């Protein structure tokens, strides 16, 4: 057992961190903000893409840490003005390959048109060596680039193919055509768009192939995944009307590019708003919100498609809880999904109107819930809910699988962020980072890691500062190495000068590493 700093007994962990590193402020006196995390393929280094991490006041940096000790090794600058003084690079995607780090995002460039100056928005993908050498960069300019601020290209997902030969980026790109009525606001119109997917040669950055697909709706991309044999690519999109469409491409290694094998659209009246996609041995699964429960509540939903795009099964699950002998069905909000080949795991949280609500508390209890479905049949294998005594809000944030285990990073809080009642009073500012280690076969919780970085409250003219107090710990991003089972969480932690800092220095970036084996 190890004591969580700043938390009184008996609030204890039974899974201690391997190491913890707390960063200082960035070069400009503001907090480094983590956007993405990844681990080197050999497991020796952990990388965090963070804004405000370099001498470029608006840029980003890849922070490299020793995976064994957490020691900072170097920072690789990702310039904001990557394409010159008239450009702005917003980087937020990170992937690692053998001897390669890849960053992607969108770039805005000020260009002159017959009607005056405008901002042209495009994909920008940049590759570095692990030591920081710029290997290559590539910019994708869609067919409507430079046609006005409403047009452009915005990437949503980045991956490297299993054979290491391709860097693949997918996102949304506007297309020629008349503006369409905004689905939500009748007085607005928006430019039509398509799903654009680009493959680059890992060594040179040259474009290998480009695929564009028009679902007929305005859409967003919600992830992509490559099949276990490395020859099929699945892309998940959601329209403004919440319709989920899966695109399947085959023969990724073909010199002339892949073939579109099929597309599958789900009816939003039963499957609403996808959140994740994962490949299986014979197809793909999409996880998201379901409306198919007779109770009419929001539920976890999973749709399994075979290699030909046909529905194999649909499954949904809603948490049921009991108050004073009466069963109620909660609304369940899915957050993330993963699969290990045998089962599909969905995590999120459920709203429960508990006894405290019944006597006047304006907030529901928010319960972490992880569910496992059988890959072959969609049958429910197990459900695991998590309640931390004293904290009525538990928010899972992501999910990872490796070595017969399921890891669920989350946040515990006494504060309910869903309350919009001005009279609501949050009794504490304590927010803990919590990670569950769950047995994949049974759903049993094997270990719980609860992290809270204690802070000292600094008051003017008071030396020394007040004793350490429980802190405010906000999840940022996480990564699990599949072989070493080392998980690293990048988060924002309270700074010691919480009461006297400038707003930009209220937090510090921290990394917490756990040994999953």
């Amino acid at each position: 057992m190890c004591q969580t700093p700043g938390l009184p007994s008996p609030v204890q962990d039974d899974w201690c961190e391997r190491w913890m590193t707390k960063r200082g402020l960035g070069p400009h006196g503001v907090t480094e903000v983590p956007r993405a995390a990844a681990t080197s393929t050999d497991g020796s280094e952990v990388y965090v893409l963070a804004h405000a991490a370099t001498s470029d006041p608006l840029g980003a940096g890849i922070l490299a840490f020793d995976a064994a000790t957490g020691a900072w090794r170097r920072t690789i600058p990702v310039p904001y003005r990557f394409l010159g003084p008239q450009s702005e690079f917003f980087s937020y995607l990170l992937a690692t390959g053998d001897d390669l780090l890849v960053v992607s995002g969108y770039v805005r460039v000020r260009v002159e048109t017959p009607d005056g100056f405008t901002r042209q928005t495009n994909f920008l993908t940049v590759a570095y060596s692990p030591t920081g050498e710029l290997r290559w960069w590539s910019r994708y300019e869609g067919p409507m680039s430079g046609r006005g601020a409403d047009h452009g290209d915005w990437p949503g997902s980045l991956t490297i193919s299993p054979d290491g030969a391709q860097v693949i980026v997918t996102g949304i790109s506007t297309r020629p055509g008349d503006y369409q009525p905004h689905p939500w606001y009748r007085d607005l119109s928006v430019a039509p768009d398509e799903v654009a997917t680009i493959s680059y040669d890992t060594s040179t950055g040259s474009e290998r192939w480009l695929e564009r697909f028009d679902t007929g709706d305005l859409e967003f991309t919600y992830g992509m995944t490559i099949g276990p044999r490395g020859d099929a690519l699945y892309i998940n999109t959601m329209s403004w009307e919440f319709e989920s469409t899966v695109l399947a491409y085959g023969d990724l290694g073909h010199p002339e590019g892949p073939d579109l094998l099929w597309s599958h659209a789900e009816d939003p009246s039963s499957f609403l708003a996808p959140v994740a996609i994962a490949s299986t041995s014979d197809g793909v699964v999409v996880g998201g919100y379901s409306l198919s429960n007779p109770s009419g509540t929001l539920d976890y939903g999973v749709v399994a498609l075979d290699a030909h795009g046909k529905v194999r099964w649909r499954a949904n699950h809603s948490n049921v809880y009991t108050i004073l002998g009466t069963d109620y069905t909660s609304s369940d909000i899915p957050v993330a999904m993963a699969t290990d080949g045998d089962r599909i795991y969905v995590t999120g949280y459920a709203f429960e109107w508990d006894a405290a609500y019944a006597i006047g508390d304006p907030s529901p209890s928010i319960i972490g819930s992880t569910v496992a479905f059988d890959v072959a049949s969609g049958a429910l294998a197990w459900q695991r809910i998590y309640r931390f005594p004293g904290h009525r809000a538990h928010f899972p944030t992501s999910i990872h699988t490796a070595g017969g285990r399921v890891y669920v990073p989350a946040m515990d809080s006494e504060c309910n962020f869903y309350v919009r009642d001005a009279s609501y009073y949050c009794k504490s500012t304590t927010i803990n980072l919590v990670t569950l280690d769950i047995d994949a076969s049974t759903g049993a919780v094997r270990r719980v890691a609860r992290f809270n970085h204690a802070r000292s409250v600094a008051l003017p003219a008071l030396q020394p500062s007040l004793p350490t107090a429980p802190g405010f710990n906000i999840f940022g991003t996480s990564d699990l190495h599949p072989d070493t089972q080392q998980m690293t969480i990048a988060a924002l932690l309270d700074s010691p000068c919480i009461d006297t800092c400038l707003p930009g220095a209220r937090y510090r970036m921290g990394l917490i590493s756990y040994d999953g084996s």
Side-chain angles (χ1 to χ4, degrees):
M1 301 289 285
C2 59
Q3 180 68 41
T4 303
L7 289 181
S9 182
V11 180
Q12 293 179 320
D13 296 342
D14 55 16
W15 182 17
C16 299
E17 63 267 14
R18 183 176 187 180
W19 49 258
M20 192 279 287
T21 296
K22 186 177 182 182
R23 299 282 295 173
L25 294 176
H28 296 274
V30 297
T31 304
E32 298 171 335
V33 180
R35 298 299 185 193
T39 307
S40 61
T41 53
D42 64 2
S44 64
E45 290 193 323
V46 174
Y47 306 106
V48 179
L49 176 64
H51 289 183
T54 67
S55 57
D56 185 339
L58 298 175
I62 304 172
L63 303 169
F65 300 89
D66 186 292
T69 65
W72 171 80
R73 287 183 170 177
R74 62 193 170 278
T75 299
I76 301 171
V78 180
Y80 183 66
R81 306 292 184 187
F82 194 93
L83 299 182
Q86 301 298 318
S87 68
E88 302 165 337
F89 183 28
F90 301 88
S91 56
Y92 45 85
L93 302 172
L94 176 66
T96 58
D98 291 336
D99 196 37
L100 193 70
L101 295 172
V102 182
V103 174
S104 191
Y106 66 88
V107 63
R108 287 178 178 162
V109 180
R110 188 171 183 261
V111 295
E112 186 175 6
T113 72
D115 299 323
F117 287 97
T118 188
R119 294 284 183 185
Q120 179 173 320
T121 304
N122 304 123
F123 293 6
L124 182 62
T125 304
V126 185
Y128 297 95
S129 73
T131 58
E133 174 192 1
L134 177 63
R135 293 277 178 81
W136 54 261
W137 63 268
S138 187
R139 175 184 176 190
Y140 171 65
E141 300 179 62
M144 299 302 289
S145 290
R147 303 295 183 91
D150 293 340
H151 290 283
D153 318 296
W154 295 268
S157 297
L158 166 71
T159 193
I160 297 176
S161 61
D163 63 3
Q166 302 180 62
V167 172
I168 302 173
V169 185
T170 191
I172 294 304
S173 176
T174 55
R175 61 174 175 81
D178 296 332
Y179 276 56
Q180 301 179 16
H182 195 292
W184 300 341
Y185 304 101
R186 75 175 89 185
D187 296 330
L188 296 178
S189 296
V190 290
D193 58 28
E194 294 178 326
V195 179
T197 306
I198 307 101
S199 169
Y200 301 107
D201 184 276
T202 302
S203 300
T204 65
S206 59
E207 184 179 302
R208 293 175 56 127
W209 50 262
L210 164 68
E211 295 289 338
R212 294 179 64 91
F213 183 86
D214 181 14
T215 68
D217 296 305
L218 300 168
E219 58 248 321
F220 309 92
T221 53
Y222 266 76
M224 64 177 166
T225 182
I226 295 178
R229 292 183 292 274
D231 59 348
L233 174 69
Y234 304 98
I235 301 172
N236 188 21
T237 74
M238 183 184 76
S239 75
W240 289 63
E241 299 291 350
F242 304 108
E243 184 179 66
S244 173
T245 300
V246 178
L247 310 179
Y249 292 95
D251 200 5
L252 292 185
H254 195 282
E256 297 182 3
D259 297 321
L260 178 67
L261 302 178
W262 48 262
S263 65
H264 172 82
E266 277 292 309
D267 185 347
S269 65
S270 60
F271 185 85
L272 174 69
V275 299
I277 188 170
S279 61
T280 63
S281 60
D282 58 355
V284 65
V285 290
V286 181
Y289 296 79
S290 172
L291 297 177
S292 57
N293 193 301
S295 68
T297 59
L298 291 173
D299 308 306
Y300 294 174
V302 177
V303 179
L305 306 173
D306 66 16
H308 305 288
K310 304 300 183 183
V311 175
R312 296 175 58 236
W313 50 260
R314 290 185 176 90
N316 66 280
H317 178 78
S318 184
N319 184 49
V320 177
Y321 61 100
T322 303
I323 300 179
L324 302 176
T326 302
D327 290 340
Y328 297 91
T329 302
S330 67
S331 278
D332 299 87
I333 310 300
V335 173
M337 181 183 71
T339 181
D340 59 8
D342 296 320
R343 288 177 176 166
I344 298 154
Y345 308 95
V346 181
T347 194
Y349 50 91
F351 291 101
E352 294 186 354
W353 306 100
D354 56 12
Y357 175 83
I359 62 175
D361 190 307
S363 62
S365 186
I366 298 176
I367 306 301
S369 173
T370 302
V371 174
F373 299 99
D374 182 77
V375 166
S377 66
L380 180 68
W382 52 257
Q383 178 196 10
R384 177 58 56 196
I385 60 174
Y386 177 75
R387 291 179 172 90
F388 175 36
H391 284 192
R392 296 179 63 235
H394 181 87
F395 298 89
T397 50
S398 57
I399 191 168
H400 306 276
T401 63
R405 310 271 264 279
V406 180
Y407 302 100
V408 184
M411 294 187 297
D412 266 337
S413 177
E414 207 172 82
C415 305
N416 190 323
F417 299 103
Y418 281 83
V419 174
R420 295 294 180 263
D421 186 342
S423 66
Y424 177 68
Y425 173 66
C426 181
K427 297 178 285 297
S428 168
T429 59
T430 302
I431 295 183
N432 305 305
L433 298 175
V434 176
T435 302
L436 304 183
D437 173 5
I438 301 174
D439 186 287
S441 61
T442 65
V445 176
R446 302 183 71 257
R447 296 179 294 185
V448 178
R450 185 171 296 110
F451 177 86
N452 186 289
H453 188 79
R455 59 178 170 82
S456 295
V457 181
L459 298 177
L462 180 63
Q463 296 296 332
S465 64
L466 296 177
T468 57
F472 196 87
N473 301 261
I474 304 175
F475 177 87
T477 183
S478 63
D479 185 66
L480 175 73
H481 192 278
D483 298 326
T484 65
Q485 290 181 245
Q486 178 177 345
M487 186 168 65
T488 305
I489 298 173
L492 292 179
L493 313 175
D494 267 1
S495 69
C497 56
I498 185 70
D499 296 308
T500 58
C501 283
L502 296 173
R506 183 173 179 178
Y507 301 104
R508 300 288 188 273
M509 190 181 84
L511 271 71
I512 306 97
S513 177
Y514 297 102
D515 185 355
S517 60

